[in-house]
Amino acid sequence: MELPSSQLGTKEYWDAQYERELSNFENHGDIGEIWFEDNVDRLLEWILDTDLITTQSSIIDIGCGNGAFLLNLAAEGFTNLHGIDYSQKAVELAQSIAAQKEMNITYKKVDLVKCSGESLAVEYDVCHDKGTYDAVSLCPDDPSSKRAAYIKAVHCMTRKNGLFIITSCNWTQEELYEHFSDYFIVEHIIPMPTFMFGGKVGSRVSSVVFKKKLQNP
């Protein structure tokens, strides 16, 4: 099953979005929109509480946007932080914000669906995705192949026994299990706000912590 295509799945949309946000930051100091802000708080709480991640763990934010997630980690004392995005304007925005706040975070322009994970030449303890897999899934041009390329790239980027944390508003937990099961196993589910509809309890957002499998499929 594929999602209906959307402009949110196009690079042109995000380039224009981050060009506006970069201009707003330069002129007004506004860092821009923070996606899934309420859900990020729950994720940060888990990261700070778990023994699986330390302040020295290497963490990469895939589709970092303005870098808000990494800024939160830096404020908590995390020191090995990296962000990638396929939009150059997003990278420039994140770099500008980090420089203003005097936080040492490394950012780089990378399009994971057009390069292999091996090309980054680095493996990370934690790979994090907040909405990027959603955007890949909404691409009007062959989203199935792009999702497959993304999953393989993330697997290559994740260190042995490393974690992949994903937050999605388009895929359920069960669908995420299915998509990533060749390369990852479920380590933990981040509880998210729920709602009741038709006598059933559901959530608008899914957040799953996966652990890299020891053997490739």
Side-chain angles (χ1 to χ4, degrees), residues 119-143:
S119 65
L120 294 177
V122 179
E123 291 182 333
Y124 299 89
D125 297 315
V126 181
C127 294
H128 170 261
D129 174 326
K130 178 167 57 68
T132 300
Y133 185 66
D134 286 350
V136 172
S137 303
L138 294 169
C139 180
D141 180 24
D142 195 11

Side-chain angles (χ1 to χ4, degrees), residues 135-173:
V136 172
S137 303
L138 294 169
C139 180
D141 180 24
D142 195 11
S144 178
S145 294
K146 287 182 170 60
R147 288 195 298 105
Y150 172 92
I151 292 168
K152 290 180 180 179
V154 172
H155 176 259
C156 291
M157 293 167 55
T158 308
R159 185 164 290 158
K160 181 180 179 181
N161 293 320
L163 303 177
F164 170 54
I165 305 173
I166 180 169
T167 298
S168 170
C169 65
N170 290 111
W171 299 106
T172 66
Q173 291 177 9

Side-chain angles (χ1 to χ4, degrees), residues 15-178:
D15 282 341
Q17 174 78 10
Y18 286 116
E19 185 170 13
R20 287 192 297 271
E21 293 196 4
L22 178 59
S23 176
N24 286 337
F25 176 72
E26 291 173 341
N27 294 318
H28 308 293
D30 180 6
I31 72 169
E33 187 170 359
I34 301 175
W35 295 80
F36 304 124
E37 187 169 6
D38 293 340
N39 307 103
V40 168
D41 292 339
R42 292 175 179 242
L43 175 56
L44 289 170
E45 182 179 352
W46 180 81
I47 290 175
L48 294 173
D49 286 345
T50 184
D51 294 331
L52 300 174
I53 303 173
T54 72
T55 54
Q56 289 77 45
S57 296
S58 57
I59 301 175
I60 186 166
D61 191 16
I62 303 168
C64 60
N66 59 14
F69 175 72
L70 295 172
L71 294 173
N72 282 316
L73 290 177
E76 295 291 345
F78 288 78
T79 58
N80 195 351
L81 301 175
H82 310 265
I84 57 174
D85 204 291
Y86 73 170
S87 172
Q88 179 61 33
K89 292 301 181 181
V91 171
E92 292 174 14
L93 173 61
Q95 289 173 332
S96 298
I97 296 170
Q100 183 199 67
K101 295 181 178 295
E102 299 183 343
M103 291 183 170
N104 185 21
I105 305 172
T106 301
Y107 293 104
K108 184 178 181 181
K109 180 179 181 293
V110 175
D111 187 345
L112 280 190
V113 303
K114 291 185 177 180
C115 73
S116 64
E118 294 98 327
S119 65
L120 294 177
V122 179
E123 291 182 333
Y124 299 89
D125 297 315
V126 181
C127 294
H128 170 261
D129 174 326
K130 178 167 57 68
T132 300
Y133 185 66
D134 286 350
V136 172
S137 303
L138 294 169
C139 180
D141 180 24
D142 195 11
S144 178
S145 294
K146 287 182 170 60
R147 288 195 298 105
Y150 172 92
I151 292 168
K152 290 180 180 179
V154 172
H155 176 259
C156 291
M157 293 167 55
T158 308
R159 185 164 290 158
K160 181 180 179 181
N161 293 320
L163 303 177
F164 170 54
I165 305 173
I166 180 169
T167 298
S168 170
C169 65
N170 290 111
W171 299 106
T172 66
Q173 291 177 9
E174 291 74 20
E175 288 168 333
L176 291 174
Y177 302 161
E178 180 182 352

